[in-house]
Amino acid sequence: MRRLPDEFEDLLSRRGLAVLSRRLRAGLAGGATFSAETGLLDARRARSVRDLLDRTLRDVLTPMADPIPDWTITGMQHDYGELLPKAVRVKTATFSSRRSRAFARARDLNLHAMLASASYRAFAEALAGRPLKRGHGTQVLCYGPGDYAGPHNDHHPEDPAARGGYTDVHLTFCTDAVRRQTLVAARDGHFTDTSDVATVGGVTCYRLPFWHYVNPLEARRGRERDARRWVVLGTFLDQPPR
């Protein structure tokens, strides 16, 4: 694969096409806030996407590293009064500037066109179980060995369009050198739900905000240099009722 297809549906398996056409239900059924699915993308095409991303985007990634601040300990005044802001370490390709190398590279790969396709939004709507607005945010993340995202809830109370909830769809493409990476989500106020996200062609859907975190990526022994988990994500706002 040299370029991504114009329509997202060209990456889907038979099961994924059934979800797209609403013949099969998947995603956030029954009021769930999180789902992790496998088998919705064609396995061979998913591996081709992984290889394409790994071959072409690595040199345009930007490190995102927000460590735990010292004040979370030195600034404490009372026992058991811990406060932890989001800590994260990952690399990212953002497309907010059309002049950036990442934007140009993604355009050459046809990533922008595929993520703007009607079938991508329709697929997200099928997973979310609700109408979604046209136009959405896109980003690519790349987790390497030890990379993680600490506990956070992705709530945006200052944004009127997002404060009532919104939907994220993540497509995961791991290299063969990845051993494991898990996502932990809160249920009934406790971090009890664990999902394996070290997949090739896995699809996760989030109804945010809710508390969750991503454990450090583990590489297979001796293969740390080649261990990467690529995540292509889209953020969708709800379509207001007419």
Side-chain angles (χ1 to χ4, degrees):
M1 180 181 291
R2 296 183 178 180
R3 282 167 55 87
L4 295 165
D6 291 336
E7 281 291 339
F8 173 74
E9 65 182 329
D10 290 339
L11 296 182
L12 295 175
S13 64
R14 288 185 180 180
R15 183 165 172 261
L17 289 170
V19 171
L20 177 63
S21 65
R22 308 296 180 97
R23 291 181 288 110
L24 178 67
R25 193 172 183 182
L28 304 182
T33 57
F34 174 77
S35 71
E37 307 275 353
T38 57
L40 300 185
L41 299 189
D42 178 83
R44 180 182 60 81
R45 292 169 187 166
R47 291 191 295 271
S48 294
V49 173
R50 174 201 61 195
D51 295 343
L52 179 65
L53 297 176
D54 204 51
R55 187 171 67 245
T56 59
L57 288 184
R58 287 167 58 189
D59 64 329
V60 297
L61 295 171
T62 300
M64 183 195 311
D66 295 319
I68 299 172
D70 291 339
W71 62 257
T72 58
I73 295 178
T74 61
M76 283 179 59
Q77 301 294 317
H78 305 283
D79 295 349
Y80 311 112
E82 296 93 340
L83 294 174
L84 180 65
K86 180 180 178 180
V88 61
R89 189 177 67 193
V90 68
K91 292 181 179 178
T92 180
T94 57
F95 311 123
S96 55
S97 172
R98 291 178 175 270
R99 298 180 179 179
S100 70
R101 292 177 62 211
F103 186 95
R105 192 69 56 81
R107 180 190 59 215
D108 294 342
L109 299 179
N110 210 40
L111 180 63
H112 298 312
M114 187 188 76
L115 296 182
S117 67
S119 59
Y120 180 61
R121 185 169 71 91
F123 184 73
E125 287 184 329
L127 294 177
R130 65 181 67 224
L132 303 174
K133 291 181 67 174
R134 296 181 183 275
H136 52 275
T138 60
Q139 188 178 7
V140 172
L141 302 175
C142 182
Y143 289 86
D147 288 349
Y148 71 100
H152 61 288
N153 57 35
D154 285 320
H155 186 30
H156 296 287
E158 295 180 314
D159 185 344
R163 67 168 64 127
Y166 59 98
T167 299
D168 263 13
V169 175
H170 295 191
L171 312 175
T172 286
F173 305 95
C174 283
T175 64
D176 294 337
V178 174
R179 176 175 177 267
R180 180 169 57 189
Q181 189 166 40
T182 54
L183 181 143
V184 182
R187 180 190 293 270
D188 299 326
H190 295 279
F191 285 118
T192 56
D193 289 2
T194 302
S195 298
D196 179 11
V197 291
T199 58
V200 184
V203 179
T204 50
C205 185
Y206 304 68
R207 180 61 185 177
L208 297 162
F210 65 89
W211 281 99
H212 57 288
Y213 62 90
V214 182
N215 280 313
L217 183 140
E218 300 177 36
R220 298 188 186 279
R221 183 174 297 180
R223 302 192 63 189
E224 291 80 6
R225 183 176 178 178
D226 299 321
R228 285 174 293 278
R229 173 178 167 244
W230 292 92
V231 182
V232 177
L233 63 90
T235 297
F236 297 84
L237 298 175
D238 292 350
Q239 180 69 48
R242 296 180 179 179

